[in-house]
Amino acid sequence: MDKLKSIIVVIEDDPQICRFLRTSLSANGFVLFEANTGEQGLVEIATRKPDLVILDLGLPRMDGITVIHKVREWSSVPIIVLSARSQEQDKITALDAGADDYLTKPFSIGELLARIRVTIRHINQFKQDSTETEFCEGDLRVDLSRRRVFIGKREIHLTPIEYRLLNTLIRHAGKVMTHRQLLLNVWGPAYVEHDHYVRIYMGQLRQKIETDSTQPRYLLTETGVGYRMAYNGL
């Protein structure tokens, strides 16, 4: 097996989708291992040590949310949920459980490939340098060691909470962060029911960072779910 190829474990019980993913992802240079139940999927993840997991939620016996919880007990492997469940609460539940991204069926293979590339690129970057001191995306540059933020050559002054919010999104760049996850990371457990805090401070942050806060380039909204820091244009 070519060790340079990224390994993906697909946990999906629909044979047609499995076949489609097998053909499409293999053609794009990924090595696939498949499981059609949650139990089999956990074994494949433990055995194959994949770079990424693609997971359906509607699995027989053990559903996808349970799989996420069990994986997160011992692994930080990126998980992209691929599900027919399109309700906002389903997305929030999966992301809060520990999924890194969520795509709704039917899906575009082009979008899935883009999400996979961003997720793997992000993980590899931080593996190479766990003491990452600078984040750059377009004209946005953040010196993480000195807590300084620039748009082009212009320095942007943030309040401590605005900076913590920005820093949290940067540390998870390319990943959807739910309102609950942001509240836990920025404000702490006592504030998890205060969704309006995130909206207020995100609005302030966009006013300072975005050229047009109504059409953000960096701080992207996942409607009804949370926010995501753009990463390499996505």
Side-chain angles (χ1 to χ4, degrees):
M1 184 186 299
D2 185 350
K3 296 296 183 182
L4 296 178
K5 290 185 177 181
S6 293
I7 296 172
I8 296 177
V9 166
V10 174
I11 310 175
E12 168 65 68
D13 65 332
D14 185 324
Q16 291 184 328
I17 292 179
C18 282
R19 187 162 51 249
F20 176 63
L21 290 173
R22 186 185 315 128
T23 301
S24 302
L25 298 181
S26 297
N28 281 274
F30 297 103
V31 175
L32 260 66
F33 295 96
E34 300 172 25
N36 55 28
T37 68
E39 294 89 343
Q40 291 174 355
L42 292 172
V43 171
E44 288 293 325
I45 294 169
T47 305
R48 308 298 181 181
K49 302 293 190 294
D51 297 285
L52 184 129
V53 174
I54 294 176
L55 172 68
D56 182 25
L57 294 184
L59 298 169
R61 297 193 299 276
M62 180 189 293
D63 72 6
I65 298 298
T66 302
V67 173
I68 295 171
H69 281 299
K70 288 185 176 294
V71 170
R72 287 293 174 253
E73 290 175 1
W74 52 272
S75 175
S76 60
V77 61
I79 299 172
I80 295 179
V81 169
L82 205 57
S83 177
R85 301 178 188 174
S86 59
Q87 296 298 311
E88 290 173 359
Q89 189 55 52
D90 292 317
K91 297 179 183 180
I92 291 168
T93 300
L95 293 165
D96 278 344
D100 293 84
D101 210 341
Y102 194 113
L103 281 180
T104 303
K105 300 174 184 175
F107 60 94
S108 155
I109 191 63
E111 182 178 6
L112 176 59
L113 287 168
R115 300 287 185 98
I116 290 171
R117 286 193 296 268
V118 165
T119 302
I120 291 177
R121 190 161 61 234
H122 179 255
I123 294 299
N124 287 341
Q125 176 181 332
F126 284 91
K127 277 182 181 176
Q128 291 167 6
D129 186 2
S130 59
T131 59
E132 191 74 25
T133 59
E134 186 171 278
F135 174 84
C136 295
E137 176 68 24
D139 293 331
L140 173 64
R141 180 170 65 86
V142 181
D143 184 332
L144 299 168
S145 61
R146 294 180 175 84
R147 300 168 65 94
R148 299 177 69 186
V149 180
F150 300 85
I151 295 293
K153 295 182 179 180
R154 179 170 59 93
E155 185 167 4
I156 307 297
H157 296 283
L158 303 181
T159 68
I161 290 180
E162 288 169 351
Y163 181 79
R164 286 204 301 273
L165 180 57
L166 179 64
N167 183 270
T168 298
L169 288 163
I170 286 172
R171 292 298 182 188
H172 300 86
K175 173 180 175 178
V176 181
M177 297 290 289
T178 66
H179 296 101
R180 181 182 178 84
Q181 289 170 330
L182 290 170
L183 286 163
L184 280 169
N185 279 271
V186 179
W187 285 273
Y191 294 86
V192 293
E193 303 302 325
H194 295 71
D195 282 8
H196 63 285
Y197 280 27
V198 179
R199 289 192 293 272
I200 290 168
Y201 280 92
M202 185 62 70
Q204 294 175 186
L205 199 51
R206 280 175 168 165
Q207 289 288 341
K208 294 182 177 183
I209 287 177
E210 302 285 0
T211 302
D212 181 354
S213 61
T214 65
Q215 294 184 311
R217 176 182 176 188
Y218 306 112
L219 305 171
L220 308 179
T221 298
E222 297 288 338
T223 304
V225 178
Y227 299 93
R228 173 169 53 90
M229 169 61 75
Y231 186 66
N232 290 338
L234 292 174

